[in-house]
Amino acid sequence: MIVVTGATGNVGRPLMRALTAAGEQVTAVSRRISAQDVPTGVRHHQADLAKPESLAPALDNAEALFLLTSGDFVAAGGSVSDVLDVARAGGIRRVVLLSSQGVATGSHPSTLEEPLTQSDLEWTLLRPGGFDSNTLQGAEMVRAQRMVAAPFGDVALPTIDPADIAEVAAVALREPGHVGKAYELTGPEPISPRQQTAAIADALGEPVRFVEQSRAEARAQMLQFMPEPIVEATLDILGNPKPGEQRVSPDVERILGRPPRTFAEWATRNIAAFK
């Protein structure tokens, strides 16, 4: 049995599909979840990781855990150590943690990873950069006005398709050879917000206008759904990335045996959200 936290999110949903397609038994965990949110045959459980004890019932007969800690978890003062204590008591031996590329480059603190890497559990770290799916935050504007508003319009970063993160996670959860490894996960090439907008327009078959926001405008918007320290660190990466944050990593291709998907592929697959 493999437990997937954040099961209703952009990584959790394709991860559930990948694991069930491989014949694994899965328990899906989220703060808000129902039978309609999971594939047939997947057990589901409602839990808030900021209250680690609520996770315990989901761990029955489980050996591996995909751990995703959201911005809400950080804002609520959630403790990764406490979550891992509950996981260990529940019989979990292997943990795959969704961290961030910013930990490797020093833009984000390592405190998220250290409780796991210093534990006696078998661990794998996934450190993705920006998600292609972050553009969904502007989908309503595209639908209503055929416009995208974003800061730093010509700064290119190698954003990644969450489905690729999910496939790497499925491999790390199921197969040997990944214990004690940290993988940086990126897309195949750097792409700017202006170029992402053009790709969405191509997938729509209609023009979409790009409007560049100021940092202050973007900050005010992001504070509606992200804690302030994460907003500031994210804006620093978006506006003035370090060389490591612009570099394309070979890890997705090394693990999956194929190149990571392009943003254009992601946009085509998800274009219904922008229509």
Side-chain angles (χ1 to χ4, degrees):
M1 177 72 71
I2 297 174
V3 176
V4 176
T5 64
T8 59
N10 291 315
V11 175
R13 288 183 186 276
L15 176 55
M16 284 192 295
R17 292 194 295 269
L19 291 173
T20 55
E24 298 289 346
Q25 291 185 305
V26 176
T27 296
V29 175
S30 183
R31 288 185 303 158
R32 291 176 290 276
I33 195 168
S34 66
Q36 289 71 38
D37 295 317
V38 301
T40 302
V42 170
R43 187 173 71 169
H44 64 278
H45 176 75
Q46 187 170 336
D48 183 348
L49 295 186
K51 301 173 182 177
E53 66 281 0
S54 67
L55 178 64
L59 304 176
D60 291 345
N61 301 314
E63 296 181 352
L65 171 68
F66 175 73
L67 181 56
L68 182 152
T69 56
S70 66
D72 290 337
F73 172 85
V74 174
S79 167
V80 173
S81 293
D82 290 348
V83 173
L84 295 177
D85 286 345
V86 171
R88 186 184 294 103
I92 295 293
R93 294 307 307 157
R94 178 180 295 192
V95 177
V96 174
L97 174 68
L98 186 64
S99 181
S100 77
Q101 185 188 49
V103 174
T105 62
S107 293
H108 293 155
S110 60
T111 50
L112 172 64
E113 298 179 351
E114 287 169 352
L116 179 57
T117 58
Q118 296 174 6
S119 76
D120 59 350
L121 294 164
E122 298 177 356
W123 55 264
T124 306
L125 305 177
L126 306 185
R127 294 170 170 169
F131 290 14
D132 292 343
S133 55
N134 289 348
T135 56
L136 289 172
Q137 294 161 11
E140 182 178 353
M141 183 177 291
V142 175
R143 291 194 300 269
Q145 304 177 48
R146 290 295 187 256
M147 184 178 82
V148 169
F152 316 116
D154 297 306
V155 178
L157 295 168
T159 59
I160 184 167
D161 188 325
D164 284 342
I165 301 172
E167 290 187 30
V168 171
V171 171
L173 287 161
R174 298 181 63 246
E175 299 181 6
H178 302 285
V179 173
K181 303 290 182 62
Y183 297 123
E184 291 190 44
L185 306 180
T186 71
E189 59 187 358
I191 184 169
S192 69
R194 197 181 306 276
Q195 291 168 325
Q196 289 178 330
T197 302
I200 291 169
D202 287 344
L204 274 173
E206 298 181 30
V208 178
R209 183 164 58 98
F210 178 78
V211 175
E212 185 161 0
Q213 292 177 310
S214 67
R215 179 178 176 124
E217 290 169 335
R219 180 180 184 277
Q221 182 177 321
M222 294 166 69
L223 284 172
Q224 297 176 29
F225 54 88
M226 294 170 65
E228 184 174 6
I230 296 178
V231 169
E232 295 295 347
T234 300
L235 287 169
D236 287 343
I237 293 171
L238 293 177
N240 188 27
K242 298 174 181 177
E245 291 156 355
Q246 292 182 297
R247 183 176 61 243
V248 172
S249 168
D251 286 347
V252 170
E253 185 163 8
R254 182 183 296 132
I255 295 164
L256 301 182
R258 61 160 179 80
R261 298 175 175 94
T262 66
F263 180 84
E265 290 176 287
W266 177 88
T268 298
R269 198 173 73 247
N270 293 275
I271 200 58
F274 298 94
K275 289 185 175 179

